Amino acid sequence: MKIQSARVIVTCPGRNFVTLKIETDQGVFGIGDATLNGRELSVVSYLEDHVIPCLIGMDPRRIEDIWQYLYRGAYWRRGPVTMSAIAAVDTALWDIKGKMAGMPIYDLLGGKSRDGVMVYGHANGADIAETVDAVGHYIDLGYKAIRAQSGVPGIKDAYGVGRGKLFYEPADAALPSLTIWDTKKYLDHIPKLFEKIRDTYGFEHHLLHDGHHRMTPIEAAQLGKALEPAKLFWLEDATPAENQEAFKLIRQHTTTPLAVGEIFNTIWDCKDLIQNQLIDYIRATVVHAGGITHLRRIADLAAIYQIKTGSHGATDLSPVCMGAALHFDSWVPNFGIQEYMRHTPETDEVFPHNYRFEQGYMYAGDAPGHGVDIDEKLAAKYPYQPAYLPVARLEDGTMFNW
């Protein structure tokens, strides 16, 4: 059995997605997600100009060997472009192997560890009252866990306040739009938000919050301590994690659980965080962390230290990645939670899938492979549109973290 052809499909049914389709000489094909929000065409070039020519003639059953070939063989390792491209190949190969075996990917990995995958949705509002109402909406939909983000008085276009109730796309312009940030106003406001949510709905549901890398370690510690009465499921991305030791300072001052890693690409980005037990959840995901093959290694390391998974699952990951993630989540022993932002109806039509949502849980389905396909004719009706994520500056004009 050999890889006969491979091609990249770029489509924009409301936002840009990059999909790799690998076809074998036996007529079996697999698809993988290669989307890198705001830098999609970089991965397209990496795949078309450097990866695909190497794949032709290879045995698609040798998933591990091909992963090592693309990682070690390239010499220039790691980084979001490289690892997203490797992930696309890896996911497509797991899809092929599942179809060959007539088995869903979770069975290839060792079988299910749970019946359903708990997910969380995004409740957003321009102010506290609107966010509280949004939380209630997600509760009514059956969610057990909800991430809450609110506009902050005095800050225009605060992160996480989208333009839709169930889905939204932060990549909003052909060139980066500008937002303004003030951490003090944010730190003063957010504890009030969660106090109001708990006063309104009690403690039956899990609540999460995303700091989006905007605090220093001591600021993050202050927020974590202030939020302890709300008993958060986690505080996400409290501070930039390039310096993994920064989380030591946060850990010293708060017992609020910490999650990080949606922008991590390899196990090396989180090795110290995991080994020193500085986090409670690792948020690396299939498409940006080298595929199922590499994400499995990250999860295995985390399991040694009783750290759980909590993979990124925003709309910048296509249904292909969501399908693969749900198979991974169904298997991985140290599962914690899965982010789930719903895609637009147009996206769901382009990517018909086998997974489903019921009463706070996602189910991967039992189709062979990862259970997601792409309608190429329909995809062609949505051409690529340049779209960047915003940037942020402080009120004095200093460049900051968006």
Side-chain angles (χ1 to χ4, degrees):
M1 189 176 197
K2 294 182 179 180
I3 295 174
Q4 181 172 278
S5 64
R7 63 183 182 278
V8 180
I9 304 159
V10 181
T11 184
C12 187
R15 63 114 33 243
N16 293 311
F17 296 110
V18 179
T19 306
L20 175 68
K21 188 170 188 176
I22 296 177
E23 298 171 314
T24 73
D25 59 358
Q26 294 186 17
V28 183
F29 72 88
I31 59 175
D33 185 13
T35 308
L36 183 62
N37 200 351
R39 297 293 185 273
E40 294 91 352
L41 299 186
S42 297
V43 189
V44 173
S45 175
Y46 194 99
L47 285 166
E48 291 183 339
D49 298 331
H50 304 291
V51 172
I52 289 176
C54 298
L55 293 177
I56 306 305
M58 285 187 168
D59 186 341
R61 296 169 295 187
R62 299 181 62 171
I63 298 176
E64 182 65 44
D65 183 64
I66 291 175
W67 195 97
Q68 297 293 339
Y69 179 93
L70 295 175
Y71 183 81
R72 295 188 181 191
Y75 186 71
W76 306 106
R77 304 180 183 184
R78 305 168 65 187
V81 174
T82 294
M83 298 308 288
S84 296
I86 292 176
V89 175
D90 187 76
T91 303
L93 296 182
W94 278 100
D95 192 27
I96 289 171
K97 180 156 288 198
K99 291 173 178 175
M100 290 170 54
M103 299 168 65
I105 289 176
Y106 56 69
D107 277 340
L108 297 179
L109 292 169
K112 288 183 178 180
S113 295
R114 59 199 48 82
D115 296 323
V117 172
M118 186 171 70
V119 298
Y120 69 90
H122 288 204
N124 310 313
D127 54 27
I128 289 177
E130 193 171 297
T131 301
V132 171
D133 287 345
V135 170
H137 178 58
Y138 275 88
I139 291 173
D140 291 342
L141 290 172
Y143 283 80
K144 316 293 183 187
I146 304 114
R147 193 192 83 165
Q149 309 288 136
S150 169
V152 179
I155 300 178
K156 184 182 179 182
D157 298 325
Y159 165 77
V161 182
R163 292 168 294 280
K165 295 301 183 185
L166 290 176
F167 44 80
Y168 62 90
E169 175 49 51
D172 60 0
L175 290 173
S177 58
L178 176 65
T179 63
I180 304 298
W181 185 250
D182 186 305
T183 305
K184 182 183 182 304
K185 293 175 182 176
Y186 164 79
L187 293 175
D188 291 341
H189 183 69
I190 293 303
K192 300 173 187 175
L193 167 67
F194 283 92
E195 181 181 14
K196 183 62 175 178
I197 294 173
R198 286 304 190 198
D199 285 346
T200 304
Y201 302 111
F203 287 81
E204 181 179 351
H205 296 85
H206 300 298
L207 295 179
L208 304 85
H209 180 68
D210 185 1
H212 223 244
H213 312 105
R214 291 190 164 186
M215 291 168 276
T216 64
I218 196 64
E219 289 170 342
Q222 291 169 351
L223 181 60
K225 193 170 185 65
L227 291 174
E228 285 177 6
K231 297 182 179 179
L232 292 193
F233 187 92
W234 77 35
L235 173 60
E236 173 190 344
D237 290 346
T239 193
E242 286 93 342
N243 174 18
Q244 296 183 41
E245 289 190 354
F247 279 72
K248 286 183 179 179
L249 185 57
I250 308 173
R251 265 293 201 236
Q252 290 170 0
H253 295 284
T254 181
T255 58
T256 294
L258 302 174
V260 75
E262 71 180 47
I263 64 171
F264 288 176
N265 306 130
T266 72
I267 198 168
W268 306 107
D269 297 322
C270 53
K271 179 181 75 72
D272 293 346
L273 286 167
I274 291 172
Q275 290 181 337
N276 293 310
Q277 295 180 268
L278 300 179
I279 58 174
D280 302 280
Y281 297 90
I282 179 64
R283 301 206 63 242
T285 193
V286 171
V287 66
H288 296 142
I292 293 171
T293 297
H294 192 61
L295 188 60
R296 182 166 56 174
R297 293 196 170 92
I298 295 174
D300 284 343
L301 176 62
I304 296 172
Y305 300 95
Q306 301 184 66
I307 294 167
K308 297 180 180 181
T309 65
S311 291
H312 180 56
T315 49
D316 61 339
L317 312 182
S318 87
V320 178
C321 183
M322 178 56 69
L326 291 172
H327 282 263
F328 184 88
D329 296 335
S330 297
W331 159 78
V332 67
N334 53 319
F335 171 76
I337 200 168
Q338 171 67 53
E339 182 178 20
Y340 175 50
M341 283 182 67
R342 301 181 182 218
H343 291 104
T344 64
E346 293 80 5
T347 295
D348 286 336
E349 289 176 2
V350 170
F351 295 96
H353 51 265
N354 199 235
Y355 61 77
R356 69 187 192 280
F357 172 85
E358 290 181 11
Q359 292 300 308
Y361 295 91
M362 294 286 284
Y363 298 88
D366 57 4
H370 54 53
V372 184
D373 203 348
I374 183 169
D375 184 330
E376 294 189 59
K377 290 184 179 179
L378 187 56
K381 297 181 179 180
Y382 300 100
Y384 169 80
Q385 297 181 23
Y388 281 82
L389 292 169
V391 297
R393 293 185 182 273
L394 301 181
E395 290 182 326
D396 67 0
T398 303
M399 194 69 198
F400 199 60
N401 307 309
W402 177 76

